Amino acid sequence: MAGLIDYSQVKHIFIVCGKTDMRRGIDGLAAIVTDTYQLDVFSQALFLFCGG
């Protein structure tokens, strides 16, 4: 079964350390990436968050 994303094309993997409130949803997580880390959510990157 093929996945939705081809992870072999991912250039960077970012791990957000600490607990993240996952109730923020995709828009809230994207805001963390852009506002806190000044990264482009549309780049060829994978962003990993840890829930609490």
mmCIF file of all heavy atoms in Angstrom:
data_model
loop_
_atom_site.group_PDB
_atom_site.id
_atom_site.type_symbol
_atom_site.label_atom_id
_atom_site.label_comp_id
_atom_site.label_asym_id
_atom_site.label_seq_id
_atom_site.Cartn_x
_atom_site.Cartn_y
_atom_site.Cartn_z
ATOM 1 N N MET A 1 0.846 -1.189 0.000
ATOM 2 C CA MET A 1 0.000 0.000 0.000
ATOM 3 C C MET A 1 0.887 1.247 0.000
ATOM 4 O O MET A 1 1.768 1.396 0.831
ATOM 5 C CB MET A 1 -0.895 -0.017 1.227
ATOM 6 C CG MET A 1 -1.796 1.166 1.329
ATOM 7 S SD MET A 1 -2.895 0.937 2.736
ATOM 8 C CE MET A 1 -3.163 2.609 3.142
ATOM 9 N N ALA A 2 0.655 2.118 -0.924
ATOM 10 C CA ALA A 2 1.455 3.340 -1.032
ATOM 11 C C ALA A 2 0.953 4.387 -0.046
ATOM 12 O O ALA A 2 -0.244 4.519 0.187
ATOM 13 C CB ALA A 2 1.371 3.886 -2.451
ATOM 14 N N GLY A 3 1.891 5.134 0.545
ATOM 15 C CA GLY A 3 1.534 6.205 1.460
ATOM 16 C C GLY A 3 1.124 7.459 0.689
ATOM 17 O O GLY A 3 1.314 7.562 -0.520
ATOM 18 N N LEU A 4 0.584 8.404 1.381
ATOM 19 C CA LEU A 4 0.156 9.650 0.759
ATOM 20 C C LEU A 4 1.328 10.577 0.478
ATOM 21 O O LEU A 4 1.274 11.407 -0.403
ATOM 22 C CB LEU A 4 -0.861 10.362 1.653
ATOM 23 C CG LEU A 4 -2.171 9.622 1.876
ATOM 24 C CD1 LEU A 4 -3.028 10.393 2.875
ATOM 25 C CD2 LEU A 4 -2.906 9.438 0.576
ATOM 26 N N ILE A 5 2.396 10.430 1.260
ATOM 27 C CA ILE A 5 3.545 11.316 1.133
ATOM 28 C C ILE A 5 4.783 10.480 0.832
ATOM 29 O O ILE A 5 5.003 9.438 1.443
ATOM 30 C CB ILE A 5 3.761 12.123 2.431
ATOM 31 C CG1 ILE A 5 2.540 12.991 2.718
ATOM 32 C CG2 ILE A 5 5.019 12.966 2.345
ATOM 33 C CD1 ILE A 5 2.598 13.694 4.054
ATOM 34 N N ASP A 6 5.590 10.950 -0.099
ATOM 35 C CA ASP A 6 6.851 10.287 -0.413
ATOM 36 C C ASP A 6 7.926 10.863 0.505
ATOM 37 O O ASP A 6 8.470 11.932 0.246
ATOM 38 C CB ASP A 6 7.205 10.506 -1.880
ATOM 39 C CG ASP A 6 8.482 9.802 -2.277
ATOM 40 O OD1 ASP A 6 9.033 9.029 -1.463
ATOM 41 O OD2 ASP A 6 8.929 10.013 -3.422
ATOM 42 N N TYR A 7 8.207 10.180 1.608
ATOM 43 C CA TYR A 7 9.140 10.690 2.603
ATOM 44 C C TYR A 7 10.584 10.710 2.108
ATOM 45 O O TYR A 7 11.432 11.342 2.713
ATOM 46 C CB TYR A 7 9.040 9.891 3.905
ATOM 47 C CG TYR A 7 7.715 10.093 4.591
ATOM 48 C CD1 TYR A 7 6.764 9.088 4.626
ATOM 49 C CD2 TYR A 7 7.413 11.303 5.193
ATOM 50 C CE1 TYR A 7 5.552 9.278 5.253
ATOM 51 C CE2 TYR A 7 6.208 11.514 5.819
ATOM 52 C CZ TYR A 7 5.275 10.494 5.851
ATOM 53 O OH TYR A 7 4.075 10.688 6.456
ATOM 54 N N SER A 8 10.881 10.048 1.013
ATOM 55 C CA SER A 8 12.242 10.086 0.485
ATOM 56 C C SER A 8 12.576 11.453 -0.107
ATOM 57 O O SER A 8 13.737 11.769 -0.325
ATOM 58 C CB SER A 8 12.438 8.995 -0.569
ATOM 59 O OG SER A 8 11.642 9.256 -1.720
ATOM 60 N N GLN A 9 11.568 12.276 -0.358
ATOM 61 C CA GLN A 9 11.781 13.615 -0.913
ATOM 62 C C GLN A 9 11.912 14.692 0.166
ATOM 63 O O GLN A 9 12.150 15.853 -0.145
ATOM 64 C CB GLN A 9 10.623 13.984 -1.848
ATOM 65 C CG GLN A 9 10.474 13.038 -3.031
ATOM 66 C CD GLN A 9 11.716 12.999 -3.896
ATOM 67 O OE1 GLN A 9 12.289 14.028 -4.218
ATOM 68 N NE2 GLN A 9 12.152 11.808 -4.251
ATOM 69 N N VAL A 10 11.745 14.315 1.443
ATOM 70 C CA VAL A 10 11.834 15.269 2.543
ATOM 71 C C VAL A 10 13.292 15.667 2.732
ATOM 72 O O VAL A 10 14.164 14.817 2.900
ATOM 73 C CB VAL A 10 11.271 14.670 3.847
ATOM 74 C CG1 VAL A 10 11.505 15.599 5.017
ATOM 75 C CG2 VAL A 10 9.782 14.379 3.685
ATOM 76 N N LYS A 11 13.564 16.970 2.684
ATOM 77 C CA LYS A 11 14.937 17.460 2.806
ATOM 78 C C LYS A 11 15.331 17.730 4.249
ATOM 79 O O LYS A 11 16.485 17.612 4.610
ATOM 80 C CB LYS A 11 15.123 18.724 1.972
ATOM 81 C CG LYS A 11 15.028 18.467 0.484
ATOM 82 C CD LYS A 11 15.341 19.706 -0.306
ATOM 83 C CE LYS A 11 15.285 19.386 -1.785
ATOM 84 N NZ LYS A 11 15.629 20.533 -2.602
ATOM 85 N N HIS A 12 14.356 18.122 5.084
ATOM 86 C CA HIS A 12 14.643 18.474 6.475
ATOM 87 C C HIS A 12 13.568 17.889 7.374
ATOM 88 O O HIS A 12 12.398 17.826 6.998
ATOM 89 C CB HIS A 12 14.675 19.994 6.673
ATOM 90 C CG HIS A 12 15.647 20.696 5.800
ATOM 91 N ND1 HIS A 12 17.003 20.696 6.042
ATOM 92 C CD2 HIS A 12 15.482 21.408 4.671
ATOM 93 C CE1 HIS A 12 17.620 21.391 5.118
ATOM 94 N NE2 HIS A 12 16.715 21.826 4.249
ATOM 95 N N ILE A 13 13.978 17.489 8.575
ATOM 96 C CA ILE A 13 13.049 17.030 9.599
ATOM 97 C C ILE A 13 13.277 17.894 10.825
ATOM 98 O O ILE A 13 14.402 18.004 11.317
ATOM 99 C CB ILE A 13 13.260 15.548 9.942
ATOM 100 C CG1 ILE A 13 13.019 14.682 8.701
ATOM 101 C CG2 ILE A 13 12.343 15.119 11.080
ATOM 102 C CD1 ILE A 13 13.352 13.224 8.885
ATOM 103 N N PHE A 14 12.210 18.525 11.304
ATOM 104 C CA PHE A 14 12.283 19.381 12.480
ATOM 105 C C PHE A 14 11.456 18.748 13.581
ATOM 106 O O PHE A 14 10.303 18.388 13.367
ATOM 107 C CB PHE A 14 11.735 20.785 12.175
ATOM 108 C CG PHE A 14 12.522 21.524 11.139
ATOM 109 C CD1 PHE A 14 12.124 21.529 9.816
ATOM 110 C CD2 PHE A 14 13.673 22.208 11.492
ATOM 111 C CE1 PHE A 14 12.845 22.202 8.854
ATOM 112 C CE2 PHE A 14 14.407 22.897 10.532
ATOM 113 C CZ PHE A 14 13.990 22.891 9.219
ATOM 114 N N ILE A 15 12.049 18.611 14.764
ATOM 115 C CA ILE A 15 11.359 18.062 15.923
ATOM 116 C C ILE A 15 11.166 19.189 16.918
ATOM 117 O O ILE A 15 12.141 19.811 17.369
ATOM 118 C CB ILE A 15 12.163 16.918 16.557
ATOM 119 C CG1 ILE A 15 12.384 15.802 15.532
ATOM 120 C CG2 ILE A 15 11.444 16.381 17.798
ATOM 121 C CD1 ILE A 15 13.328 14.723 15.990
ATOM 122 N N VAL A 16 9.922 19.479 17.252
ATOM 123 C CA VAL A 16 9.605 20.525 18.222
ATOM 124 C C VAL A 16 9.606 19.871 19.593
ATOM 125 O O VAL A 16 8.751 19.041 19.898
ATOM 126 C CB VAL A 16 8.238 21.178 17.915
ATOM 127 C CG1 VAL A 16 7.907 22.236 18.948
ATOM 128 C CG2 VAL A 16 8.240 21.769 16.513
ATOM 129 N N CYS A 17 10.613 20.193 20.409
ATOM 130 C CA CYS A 17 10.759 19.582 21.725
ATOM 131 C C CYS A 17 9.773 20.195 22.712
ATOM 132 O O CYS A 17 9.350 21.338 22.558
ATOM 133 C CB CYS A 17 12.183 19.773 22.238
ATOM 134 S SG CYS A 17 13.406 18.963 21.196
ATOM 135 N N GLY A 18 9.434 19.436 23.717
ATOM 136 C CA GLY A 18 8.477 19.893 24.716
ATOM 137 C C GLY A 18 7.067 19.503 24.324
ATOM 138 O O GLY A 18 6.827 18.955 23.251
ATOM 139 N N LYS A 19 6.137 19.764 25.195
ATOM 140 C CA LYS A 19 4.742 19.402 24.950
ATOM 141 C C LYS A 19 4.054 20.475 24.117
ATOM 142 O O LYS A 19 4.220 21.660 24.353
ATOM 143 C CB LYS A 19 3.991 19.227 26.269
ATOM 144 C CG LYS A 19 4.475 18.060 27.075
ATOM 145 C CD LYS A 19 3.693 17.922 28.351
ATOM 146 C CE LYS A 19 4.222 16.770 29.172
ATOM 147 N NZ LYS A 19 3.506 16.666 30.439
ATOM 148 N N THR A 20 3.298 20.025 23.130
ATOM 149 C CA THR A 20 2.526 20.925 22.280
ATOM 150 C C THR A 20 1.051 20.609 22.462
ATOM 151 O O THR A 20 0.659 19.441 22.460
ATOM 152 C CB THR A 20 2.904 20.729 20.791
ATOM 153 O OG1 THR A 20 4.301 20.962 20.643
ATOM 154 C CG2 THR A 20 2.138 21.676 19.901
ATOM 155 N N ASP A 21 0.248 21.629 22.626
ATOM 156 C CA ASP A 21 -1.193 21.439 22.749
ATOM 157 C C ASP A 21 -1.748 21.084 21.373
ATOM 158 O O ASP A 21 -1.904 21.944 20.511
ATOM 159 C CB ASP A 21 -1.846 22.712 23.282
ATOM 160 C CG ASP A 21 -3.330 22.555 23.543
ATOM 161 O OD1 ASP A 21 -3.875 21.455 23.291
ATOM 162 O OD2 ASP A 21 -3.956 23.526 24.004
ATOM 163 N N MET A 22 -2.009 19.803 21.167
ATOM 164 C CA MET A 22 -2.451 19.321 19.866
ATOM 165 C C MET A 22 -3.879 19.765 19.534
ATOM 166 O O MET A 22 -4.328 19.636 18.401
ATOM 167 C CB MET A 22 -2.342 17.798 19.811
ATOM 168 C CG MET A 22 -0.922 17.285 20.061
ATOM 169 S SD MET A 22 0.324 17.999 18.983
ATOM 170 C CE MET A 22 0.078 17.028 17.526
ATOM 171 N N ARG A 23 -4.578 20.319 20.512
ATOM 172 C CA ARG A 23 -5.937 20.829 20.251
ATOM 173 C C ARG A 23 -5.921 22.077 19.382
ATOM 174 O O ARG A 23 -6.956 22.514 18.900
ATOM 175 C CB ARG A 23 -6.653 21.117 21.567
ATOM 176 C CG ARG A 23 -6.872 19.871 22.414
ATOM 177 C CD ARG A 23 -7.476 20.219 23.739
ATOM 178 N NE ARG A 23 -6.481 20.982 24.508
ATOM 179 C CZ ARG A 23 -6.691 21.479 25.718
ATOM 180 N NH1 ARG A 23 -7.846 21.315 26.315
ATOM 181 N NH2 ARG A 23 -5.754 22.146 26.343
ATOM 182 N N ARG A 24 -4.749 22.634 19.163
ATOM 183 C CA ARG A 24 -4.633 23.834 18.328
ATOM 184 C C ARG A 24 -4.983 23.543 16.877
ATOM 185 O O ARG A 24 -5.285 24.448 16.120
ATOM 186 C CB ARG A 24 -3.214 24.388 18.401
ATOM 187 C CG ARG A 24 -2.842 24.856 19.796
ATOM 188 C CD ARG A 24 -1.496 25.459 19.795
ATOM 189 N NE ARG A 24 -1.543 26.717 19.050
ATOM 190 C CZ ARG A 24 -0.684 27.686 19.182
ATOM 191 N NH1 ARG A 24 0.307 27.558 20.022
ATOM 192 N NH2 ARG A 24 -0.788 28.780 18.475
ATOM 193 N N GLY A 25 -4.888 22.286 16.484
ATOM 194 C CA GLY A 25 -5.225 21.915 15.113
ATOM 195 C C GLY A 25 -4.109 22.266 14.145
ATOM 196 O O GLY A 25 -3.068 22.805 14.510
ATOM 197 N N ILE A 26 -4.341 21.964 12.893
ATOM 198 C CA ILE A 26 -3.315 22.152 11.864
ATOM 199 C C ILE A 26 -2.948 23.625 11.692
ATOM 200 O O ILE A 26 -1.785 23.967 11.500
ATOM 201 C CB ILE A 26 -3.750 21.510 10.526
ATOM 202 C CG1 ILE A 26 -2.601 21.478 9.537
ATOM 203 C CG2 ILE A 26 -4.962 22.221 9.939
ATOM 204 C CD1 ILE A 26 -1.469 20.578 9.918
ATOM 205 N N ASP A 27 -3.934 24.509 11.809
ATOM 206 C CA ASP A 27 -3.642 25.942 11.656
ATOM 207 C C ASP A 27 -2.788 26.459 12.811
ATOM 208 O O ASP A 27 -1.875 27.259 12.610
ATOM 209 C CB ASP A 27 -4.935 26.744 11.548
ATOM 210 C CG ASP A 27 -5.699 26.458 10.277
ATOM 211 O OD1 ASP A 27 -5.047 26.116 9.263
ATOM 212 O OD2 ASP A 27 -6.936 26.562 10.283
ATOM 213 N N GLY A 28 -3.065 25.993 14.017
ATOM 214 C CA GLY A 28 -2.279 26.407 15.174
ATOM 215 C C GLY A 28 -0.858 25.876 15.118
ATOM 216 O O GLY A 28 0.091 26.575 15.475
ATOM 217 N N LEU A 29 -0.702 24.643 14.645
ATOM 218 C CA LEU A 29 0.638 24.074 14.510
ATOM 219 C C LEU A 29 1.420 24.791 13.419
ATOM 220 O O LEU A 29 2.619 25.052 13.569
ATOM 221 C CB LEU A 29 0.548 22.577 14.223
ATOM 222 C CG LEU A 29 -0.106 21.734 15.324
ATOM 223 C CD1 LEU A 29 -0.236 20.292 14.864
ATOM 224 C CD2 LEU A 29 0.643 21.834 16.628
ATOM 225 N N ALA A 30 0.757 25.143 12.329
ATOM 226 C CA ALA A 30 1.410 25.901 11.260
ATOM 227 C C ALA A 30 1.838 27.276 11.779
ATOM 228 O O ALA A 30 2.908 27.773 11.415
ATOM 229 C CB ALA A 30 0.481 26.045 10.061
ATOM 230 N N ALA A 31 1.029 27.875 12.638
ATOM 231 C CA ALA A 31 1.386 29.170 13.217
ATOM 232 C C ALA A 31 2.630 29.051 14.091
ATOM 233 O O ALA A 31 3.480 29.951 14.092
ATOM 234 C CB ALA A 31 0.219 29.724 14.030
ATOM 235 N N ILE A 32 2.771 27.953 14.829
ATOM 236 C CA ILE A 32 3.970 27.736 15.636
ATOM 237 C C ILE A 32 5.194 27.679 14.730
ATOM 238 O O ILE A 32 6.223 28.304 15.008
ATOM 239 C CB ILE A 32 3.843 26.435 16.456
ATOM 240 C CG1 ILE A 32 2.787 26.594 17.547
ATOM 241 C CG2 ILE A 32 5.193 26.052 17.069
ATOM 242 C CD1 ILE A 32 2.465 25.299 18.282
ATOM 243 N N VAL A 33 5.084 26.946 13.638
ATOM 244 C CA VAL A 33 6.211 26.793 12.717
ATOM 245 C C VAL A 33 6.610 28.141 12.115
ATOM 246 O O VAL A 33 7.789 28.485 12.060
ATOM 247 C CB VAL A 33 5.861 25.781 11.602
ATOM 248 C CG1 VAL A 33 6.902 25.789 10.502
ATOM 249 C CG2 VAL A 33 5.720 24.386 12.184
ATOM 250 N N THR A 34 5.625 28.919 11.681
ATOM 251 C CA THR A 34 5.944 30.184 11.014
ATOM 252 C C THR A 34 6.318 31.293 11.997
ATOM 253 O O THR A 34 7.272 32.034 11.755
ATOM 254 C CB THR A 34 4.778 30.656 10.132
ATOM 255 O OG1 THR A 34 3.596 30.772 10.930
ATOM 256 C CG2 THR A 34 4.532 29.695 8.994
ATOM 257 N N ASP A 35 5.588 31.420 13.094
ATOM 258 C CA ASP A 35 5.815 32.526 14.022
ATOM 259 C C ASP A 35 7.012 32.298 14.944
ATOM 260 O O ASP A 35 7.822 33.197 15.152
ATOM 261 C CB ASP A 35 4.570 32.783 14.872
ATOM 262 C CG ASP A 35 3.376 33.219 14.041
ATOM 263 O OD1 ASP A 35 3.575 33.645 12.888
ATOM 264 O OD2 ASP A 35 2.239 33.112 14.541
ATOM 265 N N THR A 36 7.117 31.113 15.504
ATOM 266 C CA THR A 36 8.166 30.835 16.479
ATOM 267 C C THR A 36 9.504 30.515 15.823
ATOM 268 O O THR A 36 10.555 30.971 16.272
ATOM 269 C CB THR A 36 7.753 29.673 17.398
ATOM 270 O OG1 THR A 36 6.495 29.989 18.001
ATOM 271 C CG2 THR A 36 8.783 29.424 18.476
ATOM 272 N N TYR A 37 9.453 29.725 14.743
ATOM 273 C CA TYR A 37 10.695 29.241 14.143
ATOM 274 C C TYR A 37 11.014 29.879 12.789
ATOM 275 O O TYR A 37 12.038 29.567 12.188
ATOM 276 C CB TYR A 37 10.643 27.717 14.009
ATOM 277 C CG TYR A 37 10.457 27.048 15.347
ATOM 278 C CD1 TYR A 37 9.230 26.506 15.718
ATOM 279 C CD2 TYR A 37 11.498 26.991 16.261
ATOM 280 C CE1 TYR A 37 9.055 25.908 16.960
ATOM 281 C CE2 TYR A 37 11.333 26.399 17.505
ATOM 282 C CZ TYR A 37 10.103 25.863 17.841
ATOM 283 O OH TYR A 37 9.931 25.282 19.076
ATOM 284 N N GLN A 38 10.152 30.764 12.301
ATOM 285 C CA GLN A 38 10.348 31.452 11.019
ATOM 286 C C GLN A 38 10.680 30.469 9.890
ATOM 287 O O GLN A 38 11.583 30.688 9.093
ATOM 288 C CB GLN A 38 11.438 32.523 11.105
ATOM 289 C CG GLN A 38 11.048 33.754 11.901
ATOM 290 C CD GLN A 38 11.130 33.532 13.395
ATOM 291 O OE1 GLN A 38 12.086 32.961 13.890
ATOM 292 N NE2 GLN A 38 10.121 33.984 14.118
ATOM 293 N N LEU A 39 9.927 29.376 9.826
ATOM 294 C CA LEU A 39 10.101 28.371 8.784
ATOM 295 C C LEU A 39 8.888 28.352 7.873
ATOM 296 O O LEU A 39 7.793 28.767 8.267
ATOM 297 C CB LEU A 39 10.310 26.981 9.408
ATOM 298 C CG LEU A 39 11.569 26.819 10.255
ATOM 299 C CD1 LEU A 39 11.538 25.488 11.000
ATOM 300 C CD2 LEU A 39 12.804 26.900 9.380
ATOM 301 N N ASP A 40 9.080 27.888 6.669
ATOM 302 C CA ASP A 40 8.013 27.814 5.676
ATOM 303 C C ASP A 40 7.339 26.448 5.768
ATOM 304 O O ASP A 40 7.982 25.418 5.553
ATOM 305 C CB ASP A 40 8.589 28.020 4.273
ATOM 306 C CG ASP A 40 7.558 27.969 3.177
ATOM 307 O OD1 ASP A 40 6.344 27.969 3.478
ATOM 308 O OD2 ASP A 40 7.954 27.928 2.000
ATOM 309 N N VAL A 41 6.047 26.433 6.094
ATOM 310 C CA VAL A 41 5.328 25.162 6.229
ATOM 311 C C VAL A 41 5.152 24.460 4.888
ATOM 312 O O VAL A 41 4.814 23.276 4.853
ATOM 313 C CB VAL A 41 3.959 25.347 6.909
ATOM 314 C CG1 VAL A 41 4.134 25.820 8.336
ATOM 315 C CG2 VAL A 41 3.074 26.293 6.135
ATOM 316 N N PHE A 42 5.390 25.158 3.783
ATOM 317 C CA PHE A 42 5.235 24.569 2.457
ATOM 318 C C PHE A 42 6.567 24.106 1.863
ATOM 319 O O PHE A 42 6.615 23.689 0.716
ATOM 320 C CB PHE A 42 4.549 25.560 1.514
ATOM 321 C CG PHE A 42 3.169 25.920 1.970
ATOM 322 C CD1 PHE A 42 2.911 27.152 2.538
ATOM 323 C CD2 PHE A 42 2.132 25.015 1.855
ATOM 324 C CE1 PHE A 42 1.650 27.486 2.971
ATOM 325 C CE2 PHE A 42 0.851 25.333 2.291
ATOM 326 C CZ PHE A 42 0.610 26.567 2.843
ATOM 327 N N SER A 43 7.627 24.183 2.652
ATOM 328 C CA SER A 43 8.930 23.693 2.186
ATOM 329 C C SER A 43 8.923 22.165 2.227
ATOM 330 O O SER A 43 8.035 21.549 2.809
ATOM 331 C CB SER A 43 10.052 24.243 3.061
ATOM 332 O OG SER A 43 9.931 23.740 4.376
ATOM 333 N N GLN A 44 9.932 21.568 1.648
ATOM 334 C CA GLN A 44 10.033 20.108 1.660
ATOM 335 C C GLN A 44 10.619 19.685 2.999
ATOM 336 O O GLN A 44 11.775 19.287 3.108
ATOM 337 C CB GLN A 44 10.894 19.616 0.511
ATOM 338 C CG GLN A 44 10.242 19.809 -0.835
ATOM 339 C CD GLN A 44 11.090 19.237 -1.943
ATOM 340 O OE1 GLN A 44 12.229 18.854 -1.753
ATOM 341 N NE2 GLN A 44 10.518 19.182 -3.121
ATOM 342 N N ALA A 45 9.785 19.791 4.037
ATOM 343 C CA ALA A 45 10.221 19.486 5.400
ATOM 344 C C ALA A 45 9.114 18.742 6.127
ATOM 345 O O ALA A 45 7.939 18.831 5.764
ATOM 346 C CB ALA A 45 10.575 20.764 6.143
ATOM 347 N N LEU A 46 9.517 18.037 7.154
ATOM 348 C CA LEU A 46 8.595 17.309 8.018
ATOM 349 C C LEU A 46 8.710 17.912 9.408
ATOM 350 O O LEU A 46 9.820 18.063 9.931
ATOM 351 C CB LEU A 46 8.967 15.823 8.029
ATOM 352 C CG LEU A 46 8.128 14.899 8.872
ATOM 353 C CD1 LEU A 46 6.694 14.828 8.337
ATOM 354 C CD2 LEU A 46 8.739 13.507 8.867
ATOM 355 N N PHE A 47 7.585 18.294 9.990
ATOM 356 C CA PHE A 47 7.567 18.905 11.317
ATOM 357 C C PHE A 47 6.897 17.931 12.271
ATOM 358 O O PHE A 47 5.767 17.509 12.050
ATOM 359 C CB PHE A 47 6.794 20.231 11.287
ATOM 360 C CG PHE A 47 7.373 21.235 10.334
ATOM 361 C CD1 PHE A 47 6.876 21.355 9.044
ATOM 362 C CD2 PHE A 47 8.429 22.046 10.714
ATOM 363 C CE1 PHE A 47 7.410 22.272 8.166
ATOM 364 C CE2 PHE A 47 8.977 22.959 9.828
ATOM 365 C CZ PHE A 47 8.464 23.079 8.556
ATOM 366 N N LEU A 48 7.619 17.556 13.346
ATOM 367 C CA LEU A 48 7.110 16.610 14.326
ATOM 368 C C LEU A 48 6.857 17.323 15.645
ATOM 369 O O LEU A 48 7.725 18.037 16.144
ATOM 370 C CB LEU A 48 8.109 15.462 14.525
ATOM 371 C CG LEU A 48 8.478 14.676 13.275
ATOM 372 C CD1 LEU A 48 9.579 13.665 13.607
ATOM 373 C CD2 LEU A 48 7.269 13.964 12.704
ATOM 374 N N PHE A 49 5.679 17.107 16.212
ATOM 375 C CA PHE A 49 5.292 17.706 17.484
ATOM 376 C C PHE A 49 4.991 16.600 18.491
ATOM 377 O O PHE A 49 4.535 15.524 18.116
ATOM 378 C CB PHE A 49 4.019 18.563 17.312
ATOM 379 C CG PHE A 49 4.206 19.762 16.444
ATOM 380 C CD1 PHE A 49 4.029 19.679 15.069
ATOM 381 C CD2 PHE A 49 4.555 20.987 16.989
ATOM 382 C CE1 PHE A 49 4.189 20.778 14.264
ATOM 383 C CE2 PHE A 49 4.719 22.099 16.189
ATOM 384 C CZ PHE A 49 4.538 21.998 14.815
ATOM 385 N N CYS A 50 5.236 16.880 19.774
ATOM 386 C CA CYS A 50 4.912 15.938 20.848
ATOM 387 C C CYS A 50 3.729 16.483 21.624
ATOM 388 O O CYS A 50 3.750 17.629 22.078
ATOM 389 C CB CYS A 50 6.095 15.777 21.793
ATOM 390 S SG CYS A 50 7.549 15.096 20.989
ATOM 391 N N GLY A 51 2.693 15.687 21.764
ATOM 392 C CA GLY A 51 1.518 16.087 22.543
ATOM 393 C C GLY A 51 1.728 15.767 24.020
ATOM 394 O O GLY A 51 2.653 15.064 24.406
ATOM 395 N N GLY A 52 0.882 16.325 24.834
ATOM 396 C CA GLY A 52 1.034 16.118 26.274
ATOM 397 C C GLY A 52 -0.022 15.242 26.856
ATOM 398 O O GLY A 52 -0.966 14.818 26.315
#
